[in-house]
Amino acid sequence: MPNRRRKGFVLAEFAIALPLLILIGYGLALVGAEIFEQDKDQLADYVLESEAQYVMERITHQARAAKEVHVDSRKNSVQFVYHTAVNDPYDAVHSVADVQETQYYIPHEESGVYVSLNAKRTSSTLRNPITGGNAFGDTKINSLQCTVDKSLKILHISLEMQSLVTNHKIKLNTAVFMPGLEVATQ
């Protein structure tokens, strides 16, 4: 007889313990899912900040070297013309030539939204995005505005980007002195 009582006691323990284990497992799964969502949002915000900072660094770097700047406010684009050194294949004695390069920063628009910013050397097709399309958190360009004060040789840049995951926005503003900017005298 003692064996029958023991079996009944185990069944009662199991009947009480199983729902508690299920409840604890469900609670842990909810906490894990919440942590995953928070981490995903934090990563998306990090991507937003790093892309905005990268765009500003590239544009300010080009602006400092530019001898000409052309701003198209309607398209939120900017074009820089600057001197650069390249190997000269035709002159073996003086193997470096000073040439002019052009760099465009053109937002790519889809359905009325600027989904990426392209940096390119020609104004043809947009194939070189430097923002957007990141697997960890997609972003979009809300605005890229540049104004030039030619008398002071200063380029004012205002960039606003937004995360498509968290909808958080970041806005960066800066002014860049352009020592090589050629100002037409009258």
Side-chain angles (χ1 to χ4, degrees), residues 70-91:
H70 305 282
V71 176
D72 186 345
S73 300
R74 292 176 293 117
K75 294 182 180 177
N76 284 332
S77 66
V78 62
Q79 170 193 1
F80 297 104
V81 178
Y82 58 94
H83 289 282
T84 189
V86 296
N87 290 332
D88 188 355
Y90 303 110
D91 188 356

Side-chain angles (χ1 to χ4, degrees), residues 6-49:
R6 184 73 181 144
K7 284 184 181 178
F9 187 67
V10 170
L11 184 60
E13 286 178 336
F14 186 71
I16 293 170
L18 183 61
L20 290 174
L21 288 173
I22 291 172
L23 188 62
I24 290 171
Y26 179 72
L28 288 174
L30 285 178
V31 168
E34 184 65 29
I35 289 171
F36 178 77
E37 282 299 313
Q38 287 178 353
D39 287 349
K40 188 176 91 171
D41 289 350
Q42 284 180 336
L43 189 56
D45 287 342
Y46 173 76
V47 167
L48 173 67
E49 291 173 19

Side-chain angles (χ1 to χ4, degrees), residues 13-163:
E13 286 178 336
F14 186 71
I16 293 170
L18 183 61
L20 290 174
L21 288 173
I22 291 172
L23 188 62
I24 290 171
Y26 179 72
L28 288 174
L30 285 178
V31 168
E34 184 65 29
I35 289 171
F36 178 77
E37 282 299 313
Q38 287 178 353
D39 287 349
K40 188 176 91 171
D41 289 350
Q42 284 180 336
L43 189 56
D45 287 342
Y46 173 76
V47 167
L48 173 67
E49 291 173 19
S50 63
E51 282 188 358
Q53 183 179 10
Y54 177 68
V55 167
M56 278 301 232
E57 285 177 7
R58 278 198 63 168
I59 292 175
T60 56
H61 177 74
Q62 296 277 254
R64 286 186 185 112
K67 70 179 202 98
E68 294 177 30
V69 61
H70 305 282
V71 176
D72 186 345
S73 300
R74 292 176 293 117
K75 294 182 180 177
N76 284 332
S77 66
V78 62
Q79 170 193 1
F80 297 104
V81 178
Y82 58 94
H83 289 282
T84 189
V86 296
N87 290 332
D88 188 355
Y90 303 110
D91 188 356
V93 177
H94 306 96
S95 63
V96 177
D98 182 25
V99 296
Q100 290 186 16
E101 286 283 336
T102 303
Q103 179 74 50
Y104 296 89
Y105 291 94
I106 305 170
H108 176 64
E109 185 176 4
E110 289 180 8
S111 303
V113 175
Y114 292 119
V115 293
S116 64
L117 182 67
N118 291 271
K120 42 197 271 135
R121 304 238 182 249
T122 64
S123 62
S124 62
T125 21
L126 303 174
R127 293 190 181 149
N128 189 18
I130 59 173
T131 67
N134 192 312
F136 297 111
D138 210 2
T139 60
K140 70 175 185 170
I141 307 282
N142 287 343
S143 72
L144 172 62
Q145 297 295 319
C146 298
T147 55
V148 182
D149 185 340
K150 290 191 177 189
S151 64
L152 297 175
K153 296 184 176 186
I154 293 178
L155 175 68
H156 297 276
I157 308 165
S158 179
L159 171 69
E160 183 178 297
M161 293 181 66
Q162 183 174 355
S163 170

